[in-house]
Amino acid sequence: MSAHAPTTRLTLSDLAKKKDAGEPIVMVTAYDHPSAQIVEQAGVDMVLVGDSAAMTVLGYDSTVPITVDEMLMLTKAVRRGLTRPLLVGDLPFGSYEASDELALATAQRFIKEAGVDLVKIERGGTTVDRARALVNAGIPVVGHVGLTPQTATALGGFRAQGRTAEAARAVIDDALALQDAGVSLIVVEAVPSEVTAALVPLLRIPVIGIGAGADADGQVLVFHDLLGIYDGPAAKFVKRYADVRSVSVDGVAAYAAEVRSGAYPASEHVYAMPEGEAARMRELLARPVAGL
Ligand code: KIV
C-alpha cells in the first residue's frame, strides 16, 4: 500500500460501489493483532475473524467447539490491528440459532466488546429469521450459504454443495431469502462455479466466494491456508501464496541449533555494564551479607 493510501474505514457503500464497478472485493481471515496488521498492510477490503480460528489457531478438529468468549478475545485483538478494512465477526455454533433474542444478545457483544462492523451467521432456514431480527435491530449481517462448516455433519461432511440442479436451487433460495431478510453480503462456500454464476445476477448485494469460482463479486480465503501456515488437509480451492510454516520451522530450528552450539547469543545481543561497575559488583559480592 502506498504511503498515501486512505486510512478511513471502508463502508458498505464502498463495497456496493465495487460490485457495481465490477471491482473484486478482497476479504481474508485474521485471528490476532499481527495477522490483522499484515492484512491491513496488504490492502484487503474486509477482514473476517472466522470461527475457522477453532481449527487454525486453537487446534480443535472442527469449528463447532469454539466459544463466544474465545471468539471475542481473538476479534478484539484483530480490531486493535485494523484501521481501513471492514471487520466481520463470526458468531460461533450455538450462539445464535435458538432464538432471535440469543442472536441479538450475541451479536451485540461482538459489536460492543469487539467493535465489529458486521456479524456473520451460517445457513438459510431458521437463520433467515435470526438475520432479519439482527437487521431490524440495526446490526449489519453477512449470510453464509453452500458449505456451512458449523453444520457440515448434516450436509454429509466437508464437501461441495449445490452439485445437482435441486441442490443448487436450495443454495440460491437460501441466499435470496437472506437478501430479503436484509443481509448486506453473502458468503457462498464450496459450490460449483455454475451456481455462483447463476446466483450473482439474482442478488443486489455482493457475493463473496470461497471455493465458488471466479464469478463472485469477491473472494475470501483463510489466512493460515493462503500463507501455508495451517498443517491440516487443504480444500481443493485453497491456493498457497507462501510457505510461512516451513520458513518458520527453519527459523526456529536455526535458533535452536545456535543455542546448542553457543553461537547465540553473540556479543551484539548482550548488555554491558558501564565501565567499573562489574568490578564494583564483584567487590560487593565478596563482602559478607549481614545476617548470614
Ligand atoms: O470461519 C471462516 O473462516 C469462514 C470463511 C471460510 C468464510 O467462515
Side-chain angles (χ1 to χ4, degrees):
M1 210 163 41
S2 87
H4 301 295
T7 48
T8 51
R9 183 99 49 98
L10 285 174
T11 63
L12 287 171
S13 57
D14 292 323
L15 299 187
K17 281 185 206 144
K18 280 181 188 283
K19 176 180 169 77
D20 292 344
E23 192 187 320
I25 297 165
V26 181
M27 185 174 178
V28 68
T29 67
Y31 310 105
D32 58 16
H33 192 256
S35 58
Q37 289 181 317
I38 288 166
V39 300
E40 164 109 30
Q41 214 179 324
V44 305
D45 302 311
M46 299 190 80
V47 176
L48 167 68
V49 185
D51 61 358
S52 49
M55 300 166 79
T56 56
V57 173
L58 299 184
Y60 293 120
D61 61 6
S62 82
T63 60
V64 169
I66 197 163
T67 66
V68 168
D69 287 333
E70 286 169 331
M71 285 296 298
L72 281 171
M73 190 192 68
L74 301 174
T75 310
K76 287 186 217 176
V78 171
R79 172 76 286 159
R80 291 190 285 271
L82 286 187
T83 308
R84 182 174 178 271
L86 280 162
L87 176 60
V88 183
D90 213 2
L91 305 196
F93 180 73
S95 74
Y96 62 92
E97 301 91 328
S99 68
D100 291 351
E101 291 70 24
L102 179 64
L104 196 49
T106 306
Q108 283 169 340
R109 285 195 70 192
F110 275 73
I111 288 174
K112 279 173 85 106
E113 296 176 35
V116 302
D117 301 303
L118 304 101
V119 296
K120 182 168 81 60
I121 50 182
E122 292 191 4
R123 291 177 67 246
T126 51
T127 294
V128 176
D129 298 326
R130 304 295 92 85
R132 188 175 295 106
L134 296 178
V135 171
N136 286 342
I139 296 175
V141 175
V142 178
H144 183 155
V145 300
L147 173 59
T148 46
Q150 293 176 3
T151 44
T153 307
L155 298 174
F158 284 85
R159 53 171 60 188
Q161 301 296 305
R163 299 188 77 178
T164 64
E166 293 75 17
R169 169 97 226 206
V171 171
I172 290 171
D173 284 349
D174 283 345
L176 286 168
L178 286 161
Q179 175 176 262
D180 283 351
V183 308
S184 303
L185 222 80
I186 294 282
V187 167
V188 59
E189 178 164 354
V191 299
S193 51
E194 294 91 334
V195 178
T196 312
L199 173 65
V200 170
L202 294 176
L203 293 182
R204 300 180 302 277
I205 56 177
V207 175
I208 309 294
I210 172 162
D215 289 291
D217 299 306
Q219 301 290 328
V220 55
L221 275 182
V222 166
F223 184 85
H224 287 55
D225 286 341
L226 81 89
L227 290 183
I229 302 171
Y230 186 59
D231 199 24
K236 176 184 169 64
F237 54 78
V238 170
K239 180 169 178 185
R240 287 206 198 288
Y241 290 85
D243 192 357
V244 170
R245 191 178 186 93
S246 67
V247 170
S248 305
V249 171
D250 288 351
V252 177
Y255 159 71
E258 288 204 352
V259 170
R260 290 183 182 124
S261 72
Y264 178 84
S267 55
E268 66 268 30
H269 308 118
V270 173
Y271 297 105
M273 290 176 114
E275 177 99 32
E277 287 303 311
R280 281 196 345 97
M281 174 187 70
R282 282 190 291 274
E283 224 176 270
L284 272 179
L285 290 172
R287 288 186 203 154
V289 179
L292 283 183

